[in-house]
Amino acid sequence: MWCKPLGHDRPTPGDPVNHPSRMDAVQSPIIPVVADLIRQHPGTLSLGQGIVHYGPPPEIHAAISEGMAQPHSHRYQAVTGIPALVEAIAHKLARDNGLDVDDRRRIVVTAGSNMAFMNAVLAITQPGDEIILQTPYYFNHEMAITMAGCQPVLVATDQDHQLQPAAIAAAITPRTRAIVTISPNNPTGAVYPAAALEAVNHLCRDRQIYHISDEAYEYFTYDDRPHCSPGGFAGAADHTLSLFSLSKSYGFASWRIGYMVIPAPLISAVRKIQDTLLICPPVVSQYAALGALQRGVDYCRQFLPALDQVRQQWLTALAPWDDRCTVAPAQGAFYLFLRLNTPRSALDITEDLIRHHGVAVLPGSAFGLDQGCFLRLAYGVLDPTTAPLAIDRLVAGLQALT
């Protein structure tokens, strides 16, 4: 009987290492792909990444100077955030979100709300568990779930991109660990009414699963639509994880500060995750965040009329194209989600808009919509004086491509 020589399956020294990775199952982030196309076509106006046109309040500079002048500010700090920032966040949550932080809840400062979501997924799941996402979803949420070895379960929203609680309930299985909602929504701009969020929150309570509520765009609502924080519902403390960010509201994208409010029993798991991945959020950014919160939400709200004006400019410009381009109601965040009447793929349209019309958007396929041609347009980077050029380019592109 013939046997393989010992070591026959060993790689030849000098060969590249090539083992399967769990990242093979994770979609590639679309923003770097679009950014590379933009670099190849200088002068392109980018409506791809979700950023605002303004920067952080000037109060952050004094807060940084004061904080970093303290003797031990250059050492590692608390895993869950410096006490002064945690206290400021607790005050903000009580004032703006109806969320009282007591013995049943904990605040964890994170390096952005994407990290808060990753913390949440790792803390509440085992490999093979399921988490329910609404489609279209935020692509980094789907990526995080897959990275954790879990299964995203996709539930469609209605034609106006609103929640369908009955469909969500039908998707729950014994492996379901959480339902995710984003309101105001990325990528659609939809704002979920309190009744729909309460229905989901009660469903989570009754089925003994978690409600992960992403509220990064909490201050960006229009047409008198109120924002609702599910963590403020009666009885929500034990099963609701609320995620927040300073990136949008305070023009804080590169500073990477977000925070999460979690049921107290999860704090041990989240500490383990955060201590391993981060040790502590960057201290200089935490002091900047403290200065921003001390400045207050009025800083963000002063820019909302201009953002709403840009939103209206877009809606007015796209209205005559309703036979070629359907725009879903968008009363929050700073996104429009377009459906084009074309057999072409969203990625093809995206590439053509960059190459031939000098304007960049994101394809809806990155948000989980492969049937039909959808585009996400991020208008937060524009003000009323810069919007017309972007509008002219996109409308010309739609006319040529559809």
Side-chain angles (χ1 to χ4, degrees):
M1 182 177 179
W2 182 84
C3 296
K4 286 184 179 181
L6 185 65
H8 180 79
D9 290 330
R10 292 177 183 171
T12 303
D15 284 351
V17 177
N18 185 22
H19 299 301
S21 165
R22 69 177 64 203
M23 294 301 109
D24 295 339
V26 179
Q27 70 162 305
S28 296
I30 189 63
I31 288 177
V33 174
V34 172
D36 186 55
L37 280 170
I38 292 171
R39 281 191 292 271
Q40 295 173 32
H41 297 82
T44 298
L45 296 176
S46 178
L47 308 177
Q49 201 157 27
I51 56 176
V52 293
H53 67 268
Y54 57 88
E59 286 81 0
I60 71 168
H61 302 296
I64 291 171
S65 296
E66 182 178 347
M68 298 308 291
Q70 297 181 28
H72 302 302
S73 59
H74 299 283
R75 299 181 182 179
Y76 295 126
Q77 301 294 316
V79 172
T80 56
I82 59 174
L85 180 56
V86 171
E87 183 180 351
I89 290 170
H91 177 72
K92 174 266 178 187
L93 290 167
R95 181 194 66 216
D96 296 348
N97 305 101
L99 253 161
D100 293 322
V101 180
D102 52 26
D103 291 342
R104 299 169 69 183
R105 290 185 168 112
R106 294 290 186 274
I107 294 169
V108 179
V109 181
T110 59
S113 61
N114 273 7
M115 183 173 191
F117 187 82
M118 192 80 232
N119 285 352
V121 171
L122 292 174
I124 67 175
T125 65
Q126 297 183 46
D129 285 343
E130 298 172 353
I131 294 181
I132 293 175
L133 297 179
Q134 322 305 315
T135 55
Y137 53 63
Y138 172 45
F139 49 80
N140 283 132
H141 284 178
E142 189 269 348
M143 293 168 67
I145 293 166
T146 305
M147 284 180 189
C150 296
Q151 180 65 39
V153 174
L154 309 182
V155 175
T157 50
D158 70 15
Q159 63 181 2
D160 291 331
H161 301 304
Q162 291 291 324
L163 298 172
Q164 299 195 89
I168 295 171
I172 296 173
T173 75
R175 296 308 300 264
T176 304
R177 295 295 173 262
I179 299 168
V180 179
T181 61
I182 310 172
S183 183
N185 188 258
N186 177 10
T188 68
V191 179
Y192 300 151
L197 289 168
E198 190 168 29
V200 171
N201 196 265
H202 287 177
L203 180 62
C204 292
R205 177 198 62 195
D206 296 342
R207 300 293 186 93
Q208 292 291 289
I209 58 179
Y210 290 104
H211 183 178
I212 302 177
S213 174
D214 187 326
E215 303 175 42
Y217 302 89
E218 60 181 321
Y219 297 129
F220 297 91
T221 63
Y222 317 103
D223 300 335
D224 297 322
R225 289 297 297 269
H227 168 66
C228 174
S229 292
F233 295 142
D238 296 330
H239 64 274
T240 307
L241 293 82
S242 304
L243 315 183
F244 299 91
S245 173
L246 275 72
S247 294
K248 318 301 182 182
S249 52
Y250 288 98
F252 229 70
S254 70
W255 292 87
R256 308 312 305 137
I257 291 292
Y259 53 97
M260 58 195 307
V261 186
I262 60 175
L266 294 178
I267 190 63
S268 176
V270 170
R271 282 177 180 271
K272 293 176 185 178
I273 300 160
Q274 186 139 305
D275 185 68
T276 300
L277 297 179
L278 188 67
I279 299 182
C280 66
V283 176
V284 64
S285 293
Q286 290 192 68
Y287 280 116
L290 178 60
L293 290 181
Q294 289 171 340
R295 172 62 174 84
V297 68
D298 286 346
Y299 179 76
C300 167
R301 288 183 173 145
Q302 70 179 313
F303 298 105
L304 293 185
L307 283 172
D308 191 21
Q309 184 178 343
V310 172
R311 181 180 73 105
Q312 294 293 346
Q313 287 175 311
W314 278 105
L315 293 175
T316 299
L318 294 172
W321 298 89
D322 59 357
D323 60 329
R324 303 187 192 186
C325 173
T326 303
V327 185
Q331 296 173 306
F334 36 75
Y335 304 111
L336 297 179
F337 205 63
L338 316 181
R339 179 167 190 162
L340 304 189
N341 184 13
T342 175
R344 297 184 61 186
S345 75
L347 186 56
D348 282 347
I349 294 289
T350 299
E351 291 180 356
D352 267 354
L353 286 172
I354 295 171
R355 295 182 190 278
H356 304 299
H357 300 280
V359 63
V361 295
L362 295 187
S365 51
F367 303 93
L369 296 186
D370 293 320
Q371 302 300 313
C373 182
F374 294 86
L375 304 175
R376 191 195 77 172
L377 183 161
Y379 61 83
V381 70
L382 304 172
D383 63 33
T385 64
T386 57
L389 178 57
I391 291 171
D392 288 346
R393 291 187 182 185
L394 185 71
V395 169
L398 294 180
Q399 184 174 12
L401 299 175
T402 61

Coordinates of all heavy atoms in Angstrom, one line a residue, residues 223 307-323 325-330 336 338 377 379 387-388 390-392 394-395 398:
D223 N -39.7 68.6 8.1 CA -41.2 68.6 8.0 C -41.9 68.3 9.3 O -42.9 67.6 9.4 CB -41.7 67.5 7.0 CG -41.1 67.8 5.6 OD1 -40.8 68.9 5.3 OD2 -41.0 66.8 4.8
L307 N -29.6 72.6 5.3 CA -29.7 71.2 4.8 C -31.1 70.9 4.2 O -31.2 70.3 3.2 CB -29.4 70.2 5.9 CG -27.9 70.1 6.3 CD1 -27.8 69.2 7.5 CD2 -27.2 69.4 5.1
D308 N -32.1 71.4 4.9 CA -33.5 71.2 4.4 C -33.7 72.0 3.1 O -34.4 71.5 2.2 CB -34.5 71.7 5.5 CG -35.9 71.3 5.1 OD1 -36.1 70.3 4.3 OD2 -36.9 71.9 5.6
Q309 N -33.1 73.1 3.0 CA -33.2 73.9 1.7 C -32.5 73.1 0.6 O -33.1 73.0 -0.5 CB -32.5 75.2 1.8 CG -32.6 76.1 0.6 CD -32.0 77.5 0.8 OE1 -31.7 77.9 1.9 NE2 -31.7 78.2 -0.3
V310 N -31.4 72.5 0.9 CA -30.7 71.6 -0.2 C -31.6 70.4 -0.5 O -31.8 70.1 -1.7 CB -29.3 71.2 0.3 CG1 -28.8 70.1 -0.6 CG2 -28.4 72.3 0.5
R311 N -32.2 69.8 0.5 CA -33.1 68.7 0.3 C -34.3 69.1 -0.6 O -34.6 68.4 -1.6 CB -33.7 68.2 1.6 CG -34.6 67.0 1.5 CD -35.1 66.6 2.9 NE -36.1 67.6 3.4 CZ -37.4 67.4 3.5 NH1 -37.9 66.3 3.1 NH2 -38.2 68.3 4.0
Q312 N -34.8 70.3 -0.4 CA -35.9 70.7 -1.2 C -35.4 71.1 -2.6 O -36.2 70.8 -3.6 CB -36.6 72.0 -0.6 CG -37.3 71.7 0.7 CD -38.5 70.9 0.6 OE1 -39.0 70.6 -0.5 NE2 -39.0 70.4 1.7
Q313 N -34.2 71.6 -2.8 CA -33.7 71.8 -4.1 C -33.6 70.5 -4.9 O -34.0 70.5 -6.1 CB -32.3 72.5 -4.0 CG -32.3 73.9 -3.5 CD -30.9 74.4 -3.3 OE1 -30.0 73.8 -2.7 NE2 -30.6 75.6 -3.9
W314 N -33.2 69.5 -4.3 CA -33.1 68.2 -4.9 C -34.5 67.6 -5.3 O -34.7 67.2 -6.4 CB -32.3 67.2 -4.0 CG -30.9 67.3 -4.1 CD1 -30.0 67.8 -3.2 CD2 -30.0 66.8 -5.2 NE1 -28.7 67.7 -3.6 CE2 -28.7 67.1 -4.8 CE3 -30.3 66.2 -6.4 CZ2 -27.6 66.8 -5.7 CZ3 -29.2 65.9 -7.2 CH2 -27.9 66.2 -6.9
L315 N -35.4 67.7 -4.4 CA -36.7 67.2 -4.6 C -37.4 67.9 -5.8 O -38.1 67.3 -6.6 CB -37.6 67.2 -3.4 CG -37.1 66.3 -2.2 CD1 -37.9 66.5 -1.0 CD2 -37.2 64.8 -2.6
T316 N -37.2 69.2 -5.8 CA -37.8 70.0 -6.9 C -37.2 69.7 -8.2 O -37.9 69.5 -9.2 CB -37.6 71.5 -6.6 OG1 -38.3 71.8 -5.3 CG2 -38.2 72.4 -7.7
A317 N -35.8 69.5 -8.2 CA -35.1 69.2 -9.5 C -35.5 67.8 -10.0 O -35.5 67.6 -11.2 CB -33.6 69.3 -9.3
L318 N -35.7 66.9 -9.1 CA -36.0 65.5 -9.5 C -37.5 65.2 -9.8 O -37.8 64.2 -10.5 CB -35.5 64.5 -8.5 CG -34.0 64.5 -8.3 CD1 -33.6 63.6 -7.1 CD2 -33.3 64.0 -9.5
A319 N -38.3 66.1 -9.4 CA -39.8 65.9 -9.6 C -40.2 65.7 -11.0 O -41.0 64.8 -11.4 CB -40.6 67.0 -8.9
P320 N -39.7 66.5 -12.0 CA -40.1 66.3 -13.4 C -39.6 65.0 -14.0 O -40.1 64.6 -15.1 CB -39.4 67.5 -14.1 CG -39.1 68.5 -13.0 CD -38.8 67.7 -11.8
W321 N -38.8 64.3 -13.3 CA -38.2 63.1 -13.8 C -38.9 61.8 -13.2 O -38.4 60.7 -13.2 CB -36.7 63.0 -13.5 CG -36.0 64.1 -14.2 CD1 -35.7 65.3 -13.7 CD2 -35.4 64.1 -15.5 NE1 -35.0 66.1 -14.6 CE2 -34.8 65.3 -15.7 CE3 -35.4 63.1 -16.5 CZ2 -34.2 65.7 -16.9 CZ3 -34.7 63.4 -17.7 CH2 -34.2 64.7 -17.9
D322 N -40.1 62.0 -12.7 CA -40.7 60.9 -11.9 C -41.0 59.7 -12.8 O -41.3 58.6 -12.3 CB -42.0 61.4 -11.2 CG -43.0 62.0 -12.1 OD1 -42.8 62.0 -13.3 OD2 -44.1 62.3 -11.6
D323 N -41.0 59.9 -14.1 CA -41.2 58.7 -15.0 C -39.9 57.9 -15.1 O -40.0 56.7 -15.5 CB -41.7 59.1 -16.4 CG -40.8 60.0 -17.1 OD1 -40.1 60.8 -16.4 OD2 -40.7 60.0 -18.3
C325 N -37.3 58.4 -12.6 CA -36.6 58.4 -11.3 C -37.6 58.6 -10.2 O -38.2 59.7 -10.0 CB -35.5 59.5 -11.3 SG -34.7 59.7 -9.7
T326 N -37.8 57.6 -9.4 CA -38.7 57.7 -8.2 C -37.9 58.0 -7.0 O -36.9 57.3 -6.7 CB -39.4 56.4 -8.0 OG1 -40.2 56.0 -9.2 CG2 -40.4 56.5 -6.9
V327 N -38.3 59.0 -6.2 CA -37.6 59.4 -5.0 C -38.5 59.0 -3.8 O -39.6 59.5 -3.7 CB -37.3 60.9 -4.9 CG1 -36.5 61.2 -3.7 CG2 -36.5 61.3 -6.2
A328 N -38.0 58.2 -2.9 CA -38.8 57.8 -1.7 C -38.9 59.0 -0.8 O -38.0 59.9 -0.7 CB -38.1 56.6 -1.0
P329 N -40.0 59.1 0.0 CA -40.1 60.1 1.0 C -38.9 60.1 1.9 O -38.5 59.1 2.4 CB -41.4 59.8 1.8 CG -42.2 59.0 0.8 CD -41.2 58.2 0.0
A330 N -38.3 61.3 2.1 CA -37.0 61.4 2.9 C -37.1 62.6 3.9 O -36.8 63.7 3.5 CB -35.8 61.5 2.0
L336 N -31.1 60.9 -0.1 CA -32.2 60.5 -1.0 C -31.9 59.2 -1.6 O -30.8 58.9 -2.0 CB -32.4 61.6 -2.1 CG -32.7 63.0 -1.7 CD1 -32.9 63.9 -2.9 CD2 -34.0 63.0 -0.8
L338 N -32.9 56.8 -4.6 CA -33.6 56.9 -5.9 C -33.7 55.5 -6.6 O -32.8 54.7 -6.5 CB -32.7 57.8 -6.9 CG -32.1 59.1 -6.4 CD1 -31.3 59.8 -7.5 CD2 -33.2 60.0 -5.8
L377 N -28.0 59.0 -2.7 CA -27.4 60.3 -2.9 C -27.3 61.0 -1.5 O -28.3 61.1 -0.8 CB -28.4 61.1 -3.8 CG -28.1 62.5 -4.3 CD1 -28.9 62.8 -5.5 CD2 -28.4 63.6 -3.2
Y379 N -26.6 64.3 0.4 CA -26.5 65.7 0.1 C -26.0 66.5 1.3 O -25.9 67.8 1.2 CB -27.9 66.3 -0.3 CG -29.0 66.1 0.7 CD1 -29.2 67.0 1.7 CD2 -29.9 65.0 0.6 CE1 -30.2 66.9 2.6 CE2 -30.9 64.9 1.5 CZ -31.1 65.8 2.5 OH -32.1 65.6 3.5
A387 N -25.1 73.3 -4.0 CA -26.0 72.2 -4.5 C -26.3 72.3 -6.0 O -26.4 71.3 -6.7 CB -27.3 72.2 -3.7
P388 N -26.6 73.5 -6.6 CA -27.0 73.6 -7.9 C -26.1 72.9 -9.0 O -26.6 72.3 -9.9 CB -27.1 75.1 -8.2 CG -27.5 75.7 -6.9 CD -26.6 74.9 -5.9
A390 N -24.1 70.3 -8.5 CA -24.3 68.9 -8.3 C -25.6 68.4 -8.9 O -25.7 67.4 -9.6 CB -24.2 68.5 -6.8
I391 N -26.7 69.2 -8.7 CA -28.0 68.9 -9.2 C -27.9 68.9 -10.8 O -28.4 67.9 -11.4 CB -29.0 69.9 -8.7 CG1 -29.3 69.7 -7.2 CG2 -30.3 69.8 -9.5 CD1 -30.1 70.8 -6.6
D392 N -27.3 69.9 -11.3 CA -27.2 70.0 -12.8 C -26.5 68.7 -13.4 O -26.9 68.2 -14.4 CB -26.5 71.2 -13.2 CG -27.3 72.5 -13.0 OD1 -28.5 72.4 -12.8 OD2 -26.7 73.6 -13.1
L394 N -26.1 65.7 -12.0 CA -26.9 64.5 -11.8 C -28.1 64.4 -12.8 O -28.3 63.4 -13.4 CB -27.3 64.3 -10.4 CG -28.0 62.9 -10.1 CD1 -27.0 61.8 -10.2 CD2 -28.8 62.9 -8.8
V395 N -28.8 65.5 -12.9 CA -30.0 65.5 -13.8 C -29.5 65.3 -15.2 O -30.2 64.5 -16.0 CB -30.7 66.8 -13.6 CG1 -31.8 67.0 -14.8 CG2 -31.4 66.9 -12.3
L398 N -28.8 61.6 -15.5 CA -30.1 60.8 -15.5 C -30.7 60.9 -16.9 O -31.2 59.9 -17.4 CB -31.0 61.2 -14.4 CG -30.6 61.0 -13.0 CD1 -31.7 61.5 -12.0 CD2 -30.3 59.6 -12.7

